[in-house]
Amino acid sequence: MALGIPRLGVGIVRYDVVNGILWWDEKAAAIFGDDGSLPPLELWRERVHSEDIGTVRRMFGDTAGSVGAECVFRIVLPDRSTRYILTRSIDVTTDASGAAVELTGVVIELGHVAGRDAQLASLLDRVGLGFMALDEDLRIIYANSGCLRHVRRSREELLGRVVTEVLPETQGSYFDALCRKVLATGAQQQTRADSLYSPGATIEVTAAADAGALVVHFRDVTAEVTAQKQAEEAHALLLHEATHDSLTGLLNRAAITEHLQRLFEPGVGPAVALFLDVDGFKEVNDTRGHRVGDRILQAVSAHLRHAMRTPSAVGRLGGDEFVAILPDVDELDVDDVVDRMLAAITTPIDVGDERLVVTISVGMAHSTSARTVDELLHHADIALYAAKRRGGNTAVWHE
């Protein structure tokens, strides 16, 4: 009923996305303490509590995507008093491309909701946001339907009961810690965590003190968290693909070269560069085909990776050529690593119809023997061909 709206503390707001203009009706203006000195959008920004700006921004982002986005936030009036506001989108106007051009919503002044205003409680029951109010002893004095659905309890079971007694799952949980921290500090607290009641769901819980009451609201952010995780995984995959060889999974030429360049930065300690290749690989690749050749390179790469110690790096330059870096080691340590490599590489490799045994040759050079990456690789390459001349399956130091 229209006459009931002012008493319920419900106002209408409309935001012109294209021109950045906010309009509100008389009730919304009264809720925000609009005295006409500032445009509504500026006043909105001035009134929203600094700790809740992120929450409101996320809500506007959700609103642009669909009707029904909602959140609870605080506004601070000129007399420094605080009001709790629930805002919910009710309409989104889009252009021909589907982009949002106008957002319409309601703003509701919650006040001290303890079930004393039946109409306001009824209105809160129609929003999807979980909402609960507790007293200083953590007794539940109000819970809306969104909260009841989430915790799978009836209102009769909850009201007047200590939250950790009627909802034992919260005892010692993030919810318990969040509430107690608010009571101890008086500051709003927010966290995201796995739901205690819906396996696989992630919820965002916000708790704040309000004139002797503890106001808690929460929303399901599973889709948001999942999308963020997928974006992070996609970014990580792109980053990995940019720095790793697609066939072997080792560092690619650019990445291993970057590691080599770091050896010549000021303050970096001595290291050893190993230049390796597979003995007789060209003949095997030419006579048995690229499928067998690729399988050999993958097996060799796996053995090289396992033989290396931390911190170290190994990469593929191209073809059957590999480079490994062993930092801050002496020749005895290097010889031990190389012996493990040579032994591991001779493990028979399953190439489908048979098992092949391959060997590698290794050239070794100290970083202190060179002034540039090219010079260091040249020294290791000289040693590599000395190993080849000895018949392969061995390692030689650059003199």
Side-chain angles (χ1 to χ4, degrees):
M1 247 169 77
L3 292 176
I5 288 179
R7 189 169 61 82
L8 284 175
V10 179
I12 302 295
V13 296
R14 189 169 292 115
Y15 179 58
D16 182 336
V17 178
V18 177
N19 299 303
I21 298 173
L22 182 72
W23 171 92
W24 50 31
D25 67 2
E26 291 184 3
K27 189 57 193 179
I31 290 173
F32 279 80
D34 185 0
D35 60 4
S37 62
L38 291 173
L41 184 58
E42 290 185 35
L43 187 65
W44 177 293
R45 291 169 174 163
E46 182 178 285
R47 292 282 191 262
V48 175
H49 194 291
S50 60
E51 294 179 355
D52 295 346
I53 291 174
T55 299
V56 175
R57 284 177 176 166
R58 284 195 297 274
M59 187 278 299
F60 269 105
D62 294 341
T63 299
S66 64
V67 172
E70 58 196 9
C71 73
V72 172
F73 61 96
R74 292 166 293 171
I75 61 173
V76 181
L77 300 177
D79 62 3
R80 310 312 299 166
S81 63
T82 301
R83 289 180 180 173
Y84 279 82
I85 307 298
L86 184 146
T87 184
R88 187 174 198 268
S89 70
I90 58 176
D91 184 64
V92 179
T93 303
T94 59
D95 61 16
S97 69
V101 295
E102 185 176 83
L103 313 175
T104 303
V106 294
V107 288
I108 306 164
E109 181 183 355
L110 298 180
H112 307 301
V113 286
R116 293 190 292 269
D117 187 327
Q119 288 180 293
L120 179 55
S122 175
L123 189 148
L124 286 175
D125 275 344
R126 292 197 292 273
V127 303
L129 195 73
F131 188 86
M132 177 187 289
L134 314 170
D135 65 17
E136 293 180 343
D137 296 321
L138 296 183
R139 293 183 184 278
I140 302 171
I141 57 179
Y142 178 77
N144 77 340
S145 291
C147 174
L148 300 178
R149 287 192 299 271
H150 184 70
V151 301
R152 297 179 174 84
R153 300 288 200 283
S154 68
R155 188 171 280 118
E156 291 71 24
E157 289 179 276
L158 298 184
L159 295 185
R161 302 281 302 279
V162 175
V163 65
T164 52
E165 293 178 357
V166 69
L167 300 174
E169 302 87 355
T170 64
Q171 179 73 48
S173 71
Y174 61 85
F175 180 89
D176 191 11
L178 199 72
C179 292
R180 296 186 185 281
K181 190 170 183 179
V182 172
L183 292 176
T185 65
Q188 176 175 293
Q189 304 293 328
Q190 186 178 83
T191 190
R192 287 186 174 186
D194 294 337
S195 169
L196 298 172
Y197 300 95
S198 300
T202 302
I203 59 172
E204 181 180 81
V205 184
T206 305
D210 180 28
L214 185 65
V215 179
V216 182
H217 52 90
F218 47 89
R219 65 187 185 107
D220 189 327
V221 294
T222 306
E224 182 180 330
V225 170
T226 299
Q228 180 180 353
K229 182 178 180 181
Q230 290 174 340
E232 291 173 350
E233 289 174 347
H235 176 73
L237 178 60
L238 287 174
L239 183 62
H240 185 273
E241 290 177 346
T243 57
H244 288 74
D245 177 60
S246 59
L247 176 65
T248 65
L250 299 180
L251 294 175
N252 60 22
R253 186 184 191 94
I256 194 65
T257 300
E258 183 177 336
H259 278 269
L260 288 167
Q261 289 170 341
R262 292 174 189 166
L263 298 179
F264 298 95
E265 294 177 355
V268 176
V272 171
L274 311 180
F275 206 149
L276 318 89
D277 76 2
V278 180
D279 297 327
F281 178 77
K282 186 178 184 305
E283 180 181 351
V284 173
N285 200 44
D286 289 345
T287 58
R288 297 178 181 268
H290 293 299
R291 183 188 64 81
V292 172
D294 287 351
R295 179 68 193 98
I296 290 173
L297 294 177
Q298 290 170 337
V300 168
S301 298
H303 290 311
L304 293 179
R305 186 187 299 111
H306 293 152
M308 299 296 284
R309 67 175 196 177
T310 303
S312 58
V314 58
R316 180 187 177 205
L317 288 185
D320 66 321
E321 294 183 334
F322 302 86
V323 169
I325 304 169
L326 295 172
D328 301 320
V329 290
D330 58 32
E331 292 190 3
L332 290 178
D333 291 328
V334 175
D335 289 340
D336 181 61
V337 171
V338 172
D339 286 344
R340 290 202 306 271
M341 285 182 180
L342 294 172
I345 295 300
T346 59
T347 302
I349 301 171
D350 186 353
V351 294
D353 55 348
E354 61 181 317
R355 295 168 67 83
L356 298 178
V357 175
V358 300
T359 60
I360 61 171
S361 296
V362 184
M364 303 173 287
H366 291 284
S367 62
T368 52
S369 71
R371 291 170 294 179
T372 66
V373 170
D374 288 342
E375 187 179 5
L376 177 60
L377 288 179
H378 178 64
H379 289 173
D381 192 36
I382 291 174
L384 169 65
Y385 278 91
K388 291 285 189 184
R389 287 193 296 272
R390 295 183 186 182
N393 193 26
T394 190
V396 173
W397 281 99
H398 174 259
E399 297 296 336

